[in-house]
Amino acid sequence: MGSSEEEYIAFEQKVSRTVYFDNLSPQVTESVIRTALDQFATVKNVKFIPNYIGPSNLPKCALVEFDSTKKAKEIISMVMGYPFMMSGSPRPVRARHAVMEMFDDRPVKPNRKLKVRWLEPSDPDFQVAKEIKKLTRKHAAEIEFMHKLQLAEEEKLSRQQEDTLKLHYKKFKLIDGIMADKTAHRLARKYNLRVTDE
């Protein structure tokens, strides 16, 4: 079933004001995305792209529709120009323009005709199709390996951040203790006496 020209034009406009975000933490929710981005532009819609093939701890992807194409471009420029993080995750978020193929509810282009046929093994295009299939599997394996490396790096960075946070907490607790038991005041008085004596 085809779609009308108006419906297709409206969809093209929707795509132009939509940004594809990836490398999102698995903990990121729609409300987290809205809170992070509403300060820059009005978020009209958030749609997560489901991950059907990889483990659940892989980074998430989302299509975020804004109120205008101009705002979408500004946000892409900002996210690509500076490290932008959501949900306190050590992974910086990436952003780029959405394309029509990212939408599972995209309408059919008006007056578009598709021809489908089976390829015989003797057909020259049959070998090309086999090579493309083989290359797709290779790329999927490479992507999975890279995701594992990326997750290991992020876990390491997360542990470093946690250790740094604990160290800062100990320092502030020590300073708080010195202030509470008046040790800091006694040291200040003693220091001032020395200064005046000299």
Side-chain angles (χ1 to χ4, degrees):
M1 186 176 147
S3 55
S4 66
E5 283 282 347
E6 294 82 19
E7 186 184 357
Y8 195 76
I9 289 167
F11 175 72
E12 284 182 321
Q13 290 170 347
K14 175 184 172 181
V15 172
S16 72
R17 59 178 183 263
T18 301
V19 177
Y20 170 78
F21 288 92
D22 72 343
N23 212 32
L24 298 168
S25 164
Q27 285 79 37
V28 168
T29 61
E30 182 176 338
S31 61
V32 169
I33 290 176
R34 285 185 181 276
T35 304
L37 298 173
D38 265 338
Q39 57 188 318
F40 307 110
T42 305
V43 176
K44 289 183 75 177
N45 188 31
V46 176
K47 184 176 183 181
F48 286 100
I49 299 174
N51 173 21
Y52 294 114
I53 54 171
S56 60
N57 61 346
L58 284 178
K60 279 186 176 181
C61 307
L63 292 167
V64 182
E65 183 186 351
F66 294 97
D67 55 342
S68 72
T69 304
K70 183 183 174 195
K71 287 290 182 184
K73 286 178 182 174
E74 287 173 6
I75 284 174
I76 291 169
S77 177
M78 184 219 24
V79 171
M80 297 311 286
Y82 306 97
F84 189 79
M85 298 185 203
M86 285 188 202
S87 195
S89 171
R91 61 164 63 93
V93 175
R94 294 183 299 230
R96 64 184 171 101
H97 291 284
V99 293
M100 291 189 179
E101 290 75 20
M102 293 175 177
F103 295 80
D104 56 1
D105 60 345
R106 64 184 178 274
V108 177
K109 190 171 184 178
N111 305 320
R112 184 179 180 201
K113 296 195 183 339
L114 294 175
K115 290 183 181 177
V116 181
R117 65 185 176 94
W118 289 103
L119 291 176
E120 296 296 327
S122 58
D123 194 310
D125 290 337
F126 186 80
Q127 280 304 112
V128 175
K130 274 180 75 175
E131 285 298 317
I132 290 172
K133 188 176 178 182
K134 187 174 155 187
L135 195 61
T136 304
R137 286 183 178 152
K138 183 183 174 187
H139 284 175
E142 287 172 354
I143 289 167
E144 187 180 347
F145 178 72
M146 289 303 294
H147 278 152
K148 283 179 184 175
L149 286 180
Q150 186 180 8
L151 285 171
E153 284 294 316
E154 286 168 4
E155 283 170 13
K156 182 181 171 186
L157 182 58
S158 185
R159 283 194 298 273
Q160 286 175 348
Q161 287 177 338
E162 192 177 340
D163 292 343
T164 305
L165 190 63
K166 285 177 182 174
L167 186 65
H168 287 314
Y169 175 73
K170 284 180 184 176
K171 286 180 185 175
F172 284 122
K173 199 171 177 186
L174 178 68
I175 291 168
D176 197 37
I178 291 170
M179 295 302 286
D181 68 2
K182 305 288 185 195
T183 303
H185 297 292
R186 286 196 300 273
L187 286 171
R189 278 199 302 274
K190 188 174 180 183
Y191 179 74
N192 286 334
L193 284 174
R194 277 187 189 159
V195 169
T196 52
D197 286 344
E198 289 173 359

